[in-house]
Amino acid sequence: MTTATTGTPRMRGAVGTAHTRVEGRDKVTGAARYAGEIPFAELAHGWLVLSTVARGRIRAVQDAPVLAMPGVVTVLHHGNAPRLETGYVGLLGTAPDPTCAVFQHDRVPHLGWPVALVVAETSEQAREAAESLVVHYDQEPHQVAFSAASPGAYALDGHMPAVAAKGDLESALAGSAAVVDAEYTTPEEHHNPMEPHAATARWEDGRLELVDSNQGSGWVSDELVKLFSLDPASVRVRSEHVGGGFGSKGVRAHQVAAVMAATILQRPVRVVLTRRQMFTLAGYRSPTIQRVRLGADADGRLRALEHDSLNLTSTVYEFVEPASGPARTMYDAEAHHTANRLVRLDVPSPTWMRAPGEAPGSFALECALDELAEKCGLDPIELRARNEPDRGPVSGLPFSGRNLLACFREGARRFGWADRDPRPGLRREGAWLLGTGTAAASFPAGAAPSTAAVTAEADGTFTVRIAAADIGTGARTALTLVAADALETAPENVQVRIGDSDFGPAMIAGGSMGTRSWAWAVTAAGRELRERLTPGTTVPPEGITVRSDTTEAVGALARRERHSFGAQFAEVAVDPATGEVRVRRMLGIFAAGRIVNPLTARGQFVGGMTWGISMALHEEAVRDQVSGGLYGADLAGYHVATHADVPRIEADWVDDPDPDDPVGIKGIGEIGIVGAAAAVANAVWHATGVRHRNLPIRPDRVLTAAPHA
């Protein structure tokens, strides 16, 4: 045993100092094992079989020949699979995507719908057998074409009301000195994390264990409990290391199929998605068609703002991409109308994708603001400054903090904005046309109830247990710094254990709320433990543990508009002869709360901005109208920004602690992508004099639009 007085020296101020990842060495040496790498005795391998028609019914599954193939253990399909409970409410009050409830009926609602799971002794045997399985269908006509004229579109409440409106829009537009009325489109985009989705299920001593790659072990555990009607105490989900998620790693078909097979066979079963299967089964960002109408007085002050967004969803699941959401935060007008609508097609279900709503919505809104600035003869930053609201434009609530203009001032200074000639098409460097652009960014800064346990160990160190998820963001390291400050010790004396549903309820890694929510719980437990460790306190061999629950504290937060903000700047070069667009440099300045770890935070900002380049110039999934599937559903056909496409990117921040958070945190995981595509698009206009309202800005689109003379 030790006493508190003989522990390690006290140390303050770990939060805010650069710290390398605590698990970094394990990752670069290969010691860190991911979900598809952990060995199990008697492990069997499952391979999903996906439908080859876009709509219809399964007439027959010819599994007998496959069952006779070497190593094949079983074939699961709608005729023999366990029944699941699907009538429940899941995370954030939403119903689960029925795609995860595999093999429950003979209907096929889209190409790539899971129709069977082949389980074999090796993954090679499972794949060969799965590719040999013959499934007969009664095929029906399908519809996958998405356009502004798609019939049956309707408004639907999602995580925000579908429609928000005040004032007489048409009257305000008619009385405006300058009007913008434009349509903007963004394409279907896919997550493609480095680590494919993988899960291993097994039963041991009457308890189900799932070793998984996910964004919340408690989330997955809770969904499995409901789907399989299990006792919550009999399910454990572990997810120690995750190679990227971006919204896609929730509850999916592969986990449910693995649990089904493990239950039937009573042996461990692993199911890993291929890259091609991920294009169908992992969700994606819906394409959007957005109409923005802005009306302003001669001095650039908005009188009218309309932002209407349309997205697609599947016929089995209603997913809303809330692209009109940014307008409800960023700018006010006496007439303010926003709407999110969707249309159901025979396609896979979309899902959350980094900055859902904000990423595509900011492209349309911030490009429209740029167009309005041109019509008003105002600098784009000045136009935004003149339209800074003092309260939430729709909610009417005060902002907990809104340092957007500080971001623009610092960004303009560092980017050299004052030297910019606002006239388009004038700057040249040899054959290249040069241009600069800017855009604003915002993302909600929320917190969700979480629990954590902190233990003072007999050797003077501390162990933190929380069902957090580090999906590559550096959350494990950030929580180490937060715990160190709460415990008044050095980070080296803190071990943080995460990714285990047995640690109790905690927020998922999503919505830019993970670190803030977890840090709150860790801080509460750490401070209480520190208070208990008075001089002379003896720590027994089992340690002293304090557990926290922030439900009451989070629920007591005053109602405010809580957001992170940012200003994006981009410089591009455009070759009018080839249509090539090159981003030469980018700068992002953010007001995103107190920065816990500058080293990993900068990586998050730069990563988001890089994705913004990819969104602006590269990413586009194209659906074949005949088959209902995607062209080039792999990383050869789906283009993303590579190292050669990424220029000098700088990210920094202004001082912006949240006074209502015990650590001062807001959230940084998603704001880096918001506004980045708009800044690039606005820079392309400045270079060429041509507006590009459809992403991505491909070379053929540049060539078909005559550059500014």
Side-chain angles (χ1 to χ4, degrees):
M1 298 185 187
T2 63
T3 63
T5 55
T6 60
T8 53
R10 292 173 59 171
M11 177 180 176
R12 294 183 182 274
V15 170
T17 61
H19 200 291
T20 57
R21 294 174 184 264
V22 295
E23 82 286 7
R25 183 179 180 85
D26 287 345
K27 285 184 173 177
V28 299
T29 60
R33 293 186 301 186
Y34 292 79
E37 301 174 322
I38 300 173
F40 291 94
E42 302 297 319
L43 179 65
H45 298 264
W47 201 278
L48 284 166
V49 179
L50 308 185
S51 70
T52 57
V53 302
R55 186 179 179 87
R57 289 188 179 275
I58 302 169
R59 188 168 70 249
V61 178
Q62 292 187 334
D63 55 357
V66 167
L67 287 168
M69 294 179 68
V72 174
V73 179
T74 190
V75 177
L76 295 180
H77 51 78
H78 72 280
N80 61 10
R83 299 298 95 184
L84 300 174
E85 174 58 54
T86 58
Y88 66 88
V89 176
L91 181 75
L92 301 178
T94 61
D97 179 356
T99 308
C100 74
V102 292
F103 319 140
Q104 297 300 290
H105 52 76
D106 63 356
R107 289 291 312 169
V108 174
H110 61 74
L111 189 77
W113 177 264
V115 296
L117 178 77
V118 176
V119 184
E121 298 293 344
T122 70
S123 60
E124 293 82 5
Q125 290 170 332
R127 178 172 188 168
E128 182 181 7
E131 292 175 350
S132 301
L133 183 66
V134 175
V135 180
H136 297 283
Y137 304 93
D138 290 325
Q139 192 169 355
E140 300 170 4
H142 63 265
Q143 178 57 264
V144 299
F146 176 62
S147 72
S150 295
Y154 58 99
L156 182 73
D157 293 344
H159 297 295
M160 63 178 66
V163 177
K166 66 179 181 181
D168 186 335
L169 187 70
E170 299 304 329
S171 177
L173 286 168
S176 295
V179 173
V180 170
D181 183 350
E183 181 180 278
Y184 304 85
T185 69
T186 60
E188 182 177 323
E189 300 169 359
H190 287 259
H191 302 80
N192 282 305
M194 290 181 67
E195 178 203 16
H197 298 55
T200 304
R202 66 170 180 167
W203 286 90
E204 187 172 30
D205 298 327
R207 197 173 193 218
L208 172 66
E209 181 181 52
L210 187 80
V211 177
D212 188 27
S213 176
N214 63 52
Q215 294 180 228
S217 55
W219 173 19
V220 175
S221 173
D222 185 60
E223 297 274 331
L224 292 177
V225 163
K226 293 172 179 174
L227 281 166
F228 288 90
S229 301
L230 298 171
D231 179 354
S234 70
V235 179
R236 182 189 188 190
V237 175
R238 293 192 293 122
S239 183
E240 185 175 359
H241 295 290
V242 181
F246 312 117
S248 70
K249 286 186 175 174
V251 181
R252 299 286 171 198
H254 67 289
Q255 297 134 311
V256 178
V259 173
M260 281 183 171
T263 302
I264 291 171
L265 298 174
Q266 286 299 298
R267 61 183 289 191
V269 176
R270 174 172 294 157
V271 180
V272 180
L273 297 185
T274 67
R275 183 66 62 180
R276 183 172 288 273
Q277 287 174 338
M278 285 167 55
F279 277 85
T280 299
L281 298 179
Y284 56 94
R285 197 194 305 280
S286 167
T288 68
I289 300 170
Q290 304 175 56
R291 186 186 184 189
V292 179
R293 293 199 291 171
L294 304 176
D297 292 335
D299 61 1
R301 288 181 170 82
L302 287 168
R303 296 192 58 192
L305 187 158
E306 180 185 35
H307 191 168
D308 183 276
S309 176
L310 177 69
N311 72 269
L312 60 72
T313 190
S314 69
T315 59
V316 297
Y317 185 62
E318 293 177 310
F319 182 84
V320 181
E321 181 74 28
S324 75
R328 302 182 187 185
T329 299
M330 294 303 293
Y331 309 108
D332 202 359
E334 60 190 69
H336 196 288
H337 289 213
T338 54
N340 295 308
R341 298 179 300 118
L342 69 162
V343 61
R344 306 184 95 170
L345 297 172
D346 301 313
V347 296
S349 301
T351 192
W352 299 297
M353 187 168 174
R354 197 174 195 175
E358 274 79 7
S362 66
F363 163 67
L365 181 64
E366 293 298 313
C367 285
L369 260 290
D370 210 63
E371 296 195 42
L372 184 64
E374 180 193 3
K375 289 196 173 190
C376 293
L378 289 173
D379 178 85
I381 297 177
E382 176 60 25
L383 177 74
R384 288 166 173 82
R386 293 186 185 186
N387 286 285
E388 266 289 279
D390 56 3
R391 304 180 75 83
V394 172
S395 69
L397 296 172
F399 288 98
S400 64
R402 187 179 169 107
N403 288 327
L404 176 61
L405 293 187
C407 295
F408 271 116
R409 285 193 295 268
E410 177 64 12
R413 182 188 68 81
R414 290 176 54 169
F415 197 73
W417 188 262
D419 299 329
R420 176 186 191 258
D421 188 325
R423 295 173 297 173
L426 296 182
R427 287 182 63 202
R428 288 183 177 270
E429 188 176 277
W432 297 91
L433 296 169
L434 306 183
T436 53
T438 189
S442 72
F443 197 82
S450 296
T451 62
V454 181
T455 300
E457 307 290 358
D459 63 0
T461 64
F462 300 89
T463 302
V464 176
R465 293 175 176 84
I466 184 168
D470 191 332
I471 59 175
T473 56
R476 185 186 274 102
T477 308
L479 294 179
T480 299
L481 303 183
V482 168
D485 278 5
L487 294 162
E488 300 179 9
T489 189
E492 293 73 23
N493 301 319
V494 177
Q495 180 188 31
V496 175
R497 295 182 58 193
I498 64 172
D500 191 331
S501 63
D502 275 1
F503 294 161
M507 177 57 187
I508 67 168
S512 294
M513 294 193 290
T515 299
R516 179 178 183 177
S517 302
W518 306 323
W520 198 326
V522 169
T523 297
R527 287 176 177 173
E528 183 179 339
L529 179 60
R530 186 71 259 171
E531 290 173 1
R532 289 192 189 182
L533 297 177
T534 56
T537 299
T538 298
V539 179
E542 67 274 15
I544 298 175
T545 298
V546 170
R547 186 170 183 82
S548 66
D549 185 338
T550 63
T551 301
E552 185 176 345
V554 171
L557 280 171
R559 294 186 65 212
R560 297 264 196 278
E561 285 273 359
R562 303 180 188 278
H563 303 268
S564 294
F565 293 95
Q568 303 271 17
F569 296 83
E571 180 181 71
V572 303
V574 182
D575 186 338
T578 65
E580 181 181 5
V581 178
R582 285 276 178 184
V583 177
R584 289 161 54 114
R585 60 188 177 110
M586 285 194 76
L587 170 67
I589 303 292
F590 301 96
R594 189 179 181 195
I595 300 302
V596 177
N597 184 359
L599 188 63
T600 53
R602 186 167 279 107
Q604 282 295 291
F605 290 134
V606 170
M609 294 167 69
T610 302
W611 199 335
I613 294 173
S614 198
M615 181 180 179
L617 303 180
H618 301 283
E619 295 193 45
E620 180 180 27
V622 180
R623 200 161 288 279
D624 176 20
Q625 305 298 304
V626 176
S627 71
L630 296 176
Y631 293 105
D634 51 45
L635 291 182
Y638 183 82
H639 293 173
V640 297
T642 64
H643 283 296
D645 302 301
V646 179
R648 189 180 86 218
I649 300 182
E650 297 179 77
D652 212 335
W653 44 86
V654 298
D655 190 42
D656 184 52
D658 188 330
D660 296 326
D661 184 85
V663 185
I665 298 170
K666 284 186 176 179
I668 65 172
E670 290 161 285
I671 193 170
I673 190 176
V674 181
V680 173
N682 290 338
V684 171
W685 167 80
H686 187 233
T688 66
V690 176
R691 292 284 178 188
H692 288 271
R693 303 185 181 98
N694 305 296
L695 294 184
I697 306 174
R698 302 188 310 253
D700 62 302
R701 287 175 169 165
V702 175
L703 289 173
T704 56
H708 192 278

